[in-house]
Amino acid sequence: MAFSKISNVAIRGIAACVPAHTEENIDSLPVFKEGEAARVVAQTGIERKHTIESGSGVTISDLCAKAFDVLIEKLEWDRESIDLLVLVSSSADYITPPTSNVLHGRLGLSEDCLCYDIRQGCPGWVVGMSNVSSMVSSGNFKRAILLCGDASTLMSSPLDKEMRPLFSDAGTATALEFDTSANDMEFQHGCRGKAFEAIITPAGGLRNPVTEDSLQFKSYGENLVRRDIDCKMDGMGVFSFGLSVAPKSLQSLLDEFHIAREDVDYFLFHQANQYMNTKIMKKLKLDPDKVPFSLKDFGNTSCASIPLTLVYKCREAYETREVNSVACAFGVGLAWGSFHFKTNKIVCPELILY
Amino acid sequence: METKEFIEQLAEAIDVEDVESLTLETKFRELEEWSSLAGLSVIAFFDEEFDKTVNGAELRACNTIQDLYDLATK
């Protein structure tokens, strides 16, 4: 098991930004047969999603930049004081250069700053927190911002019933600071690379470059219409995977670091769908009051889903008191991770609309 | 798990009320109650009762309840 404990890093604040534009699942999306929408809404728990308007030109860097601006203003951090900027995303602005570098210029950060992208999907926030906190832990970097989000609707087909009702777009910012008095952070990570095709965008990378053919919409069954440049998902395989690994990952973290579940205030799960998340919660026998859901209004926002849920459902608690949290994420890779962290009155602005 | 109990639990998972109508030879995809969402229920049933992780391709290869039983117990 890949466990890690990281000291000397405090979370100072978390902000989340979503597009103001929404899409209601109950309205007859072009991917539903008659009567199907209500059934899908009931089982997934997803009523609406905040989505980037097609053709608006908005990207994940716009959402993350907005979250960044609001967060550091509330923190009263000088931009010059930030020496590490990391973006976790699968939705790059350009093939080259890294989107974090583009954002570095746009956000007006100091040239004395390390910037890099981490390409991850659903497990991204846990992977990003593990990575950035490791960098800060040594004291070489004092202030870091982890941007984390995906524009999934721009990378999947609007005519694919396995994608459109589920995914939406969000960008988040998490502020971390070197602090020798901070509580330890604890992580568990795992990867099942043999199953990489379970969630995949087949064309557009170098293995299968874009061709005229990969830009054509093709039908793979009723309401399963997509291009090879669109992301696709083996829904049943991913469901089975999540149900199996998420509870094991979370439980192993609790066991390894002797975390008593009654001491945990919130268990924050990646928001996949209601049916799956409820099954995972029940397998772990968690108190439902400690397991916030944001699926109803946002669906699955990939790597943004945990910080988004924290901001949307629990921001008052995080702003006003000490909170003991465990996060658990799973998906693209296939990969997973769990993360235990304690915060004390962090900055947590209201959800930002773009 | 005996096949009779398997059929009963499967029926409950996918909301088939008339359990008596199901046999190992039943082609479950032809059931009125069958849908891709019922597929998720089958996967959850496999996970809970057999600690078995299956992928979409394995489930798609099944046509009869016997196939499902074999997949769950092999």
Side-chain angles (χ1 to χ4, degrees):
Chain A
M1 285 279 201
F3 293 106
S4 61
K5 179 190 276 209
I6 294 164
S7 307
N8 306 330
V9 186
I11 296 175
R12 296 291 189 226
I14 302 177
C17 175
V18 296
H21 176 260
T22 58
E23 175 175 277
E24 298 287 329
N25 271 349
I26 201 72
D27 293 346
S28 41
L29 297 182
V31 295
F32 291 138
K33 290 184 285 193
E34 202 178 325
E36 200 175 20
R39 214 165 62 227
V40 170
V41 169
Q43 193 151 7
T44 61
I46 301 167
E47 293 185 8
R48 65 193 60 80
K49 295 102 53 190
H50 286 255
T51 55
I52 291 172
E53 258 183 295
S54 148
S56 66
V58 172
T59 69
I60 198 59
S61 66
D62 299 312
L63 303 181
C64 286
K66 184 93 180 176
F68 174 97
D69 284 337
V70 172
L71 184 62
I72 66 154
E73 190 187 327
K74 295 248 178 195
L75 282 166
E76 298 180 355
W77 276 14
D78 182 355
R79 286 170 197 254
E80 295 280 321
S81 71
I82 295 165
D83 48 17
L84 175 62
L85 180 75
V86 176
L87 172 72
V88 173
S89 185
S90 288
S91 342
D93 277 14
Y94 304 99
I95 304 296
T96 312
T99 308
S100 55
N101 297 26
V102 178
L103 278 163
H104 170 271
R106 173 175 169 178
L107 298 171
L109 302 186
S110 156
E111 289 197 352
D112 294 317
C113 182
L114 170 64
C115 291
Y116 53 91
D117 288 9
I118 300 177
R119 186 125 69 105
Q120 286 282 326
C122 313
W125 191 69
V126 174
V127 174
M129 288 300 287
S130 172
N131 179 281
V132 172
S133 60
S134 301
M135 296 293 283
V136 173
S137 174
S138 60
N140 292 324
F141 296 90
K142 296 290 190 292
R143 282 184 167 174
I145 299 283
L146 171 67
L147 303 173
C148 186
D150 263 317
S152 303
T153 64
L154 303 182
M155 301 190 298
S156 54
S157 165
L159 303 174
D160 185 340
K161 71 171 179 185
E162 289 184 347
M163 303 297 286
R164 180 149 180 191
L166 301 180
F167 288 92
S168 71
D169 311 313
T172 67
T174 304
L176 300 99
E177 189 167 33
F178 180 70
D179 179 350
T180 51
S181 67
N183 286 299
D184 290 341
M185 298 177 173
E186 289 144 349
F187 295 90
Q188 190 274 328
H189 294 293
C191 182
R192 190 174 294 162
K194 281 181 182 165
F196 77 95
E197 288 175 313
I199 309 172
I200 188 168
T201 308
L206 299 181
R207 185 63 67 191
N208 300 304
V210 175
T211 61
E212 263 185 55
D213 183 63
S214 66
L215 298 174
Q216 304 301 314
F217 280 99
K218 295 171 198 167
S219 176
Y220 297 90
E222 195 175 11
N223 293 321
L224 286 172
V225 177
R226 60 176 176 261
R227 300 161 295 187
D228 288 347
I229 57 160
D230 292 318
C231 186
K232 65 171 180 171
M233 178 170 70
D234 170 8
M236 291 193 181
V238 173
F239 176 76
S240 185
F241 157 80
L243 208 53
S244 152
V245 303
K248 284 181 195 158
S249 166
L250 193 149
Q251 188 60 51
S252 72
L253 182 83
L254 299 182
D255 293 345
E256 176 75 13
F257 297 106
H258 310 290
I259 303 159
R261 55 174 70 205
E262 55 272 19
D263 294 343
V264 176
D265 297 300
Y266 292 117
F267 293 92
L268 301 154
F269 286 92
H270 166 58
Q271 303 285 293
N273 66 69
Q274 181 97 19
Y275 185 67
M276 182 164 172
N277 283 46
T278 306
K279 290 269 180 204
I280 291 169
M281 181 177 81
K282 285 185 178 161
K283 266 183 94 165
L284 284 160
K285 299 189 174 67
L286 300 177
D287 174 357
D289 291 341
K290 291 184 173 187
V291 186
F293 280 77
S294 67
L295 277 162
K296 184 175 146 218
D297 296 313
F298 304 101
N300 180 339
T301 52
S302 182
C303 57
S305 75
I306 290 173
L308 173 64
T309 302
L310 186 157
V311 166
Y312 187 61
K313 300 299 283 189
C314 320
R315 58 174 288 271
E316 281 189 34
Y318 282 90
E319 280 211 311
T320 55
R321 57 180 187 262
E322 262 193 339
V323 184
N324 187 11
S325 315
V326 173
C328 175
F330 45 88
V332 176
L334 293 173
W336 60 92
S338 293
F339 169 31
H340 175 228
F341 60 103
K342 287 181 181 168
T343 55
N344 189 10
K345 295 181 189 168
I346 63 170
V347 167
C348 203
E350 264 183 67
L351 181 67
I352 306 152
L353 296 181
Y354 186 88
Chain B
M1 187 182 286
E2 296 295 321
T3 55
K4 182 170 178 293
E5 190 189 351
F6 180 84
I7 291 173
E8 284 169 5
Q9 295 205 13
L10 178 70
E12 196 183 328
I14 62 175
D15 281 333
V16 173
E17 283 184 13
D18 186 6
V19 184
E20 303 299 318
S21 69
L22 301 180
T23 68
L24 287 174
E25 287 73 42
T26 300
K27 291 183 171 148
F28 62 88
R29 294 180 194 286
E30 294 171 6
L31 295 170
E32 200 185 317
E33 293 85 353
W34 184 255
S35 65
S36 58
L37 298 178
L40 298 186
S41 303
V42 170
I43 287 171
F45 167 53
F46 279 24
D47 178 79
E48 283 161 16
E49 295 298 326
F50 301 95
D51 196 20
K52 176 95 188 170
T53 303
V54 296
N55 61 36
E58 286 173 310
L59 193 65
R60 276 191 292 277
C62 294
N63 291 303
T64 64
I65 291 179
Q66 178 77 56
D67 295 337
L68 289 178
Y69 181 76
D70 293 343
L71 180 60
T73 55
K74 79 180 175 197

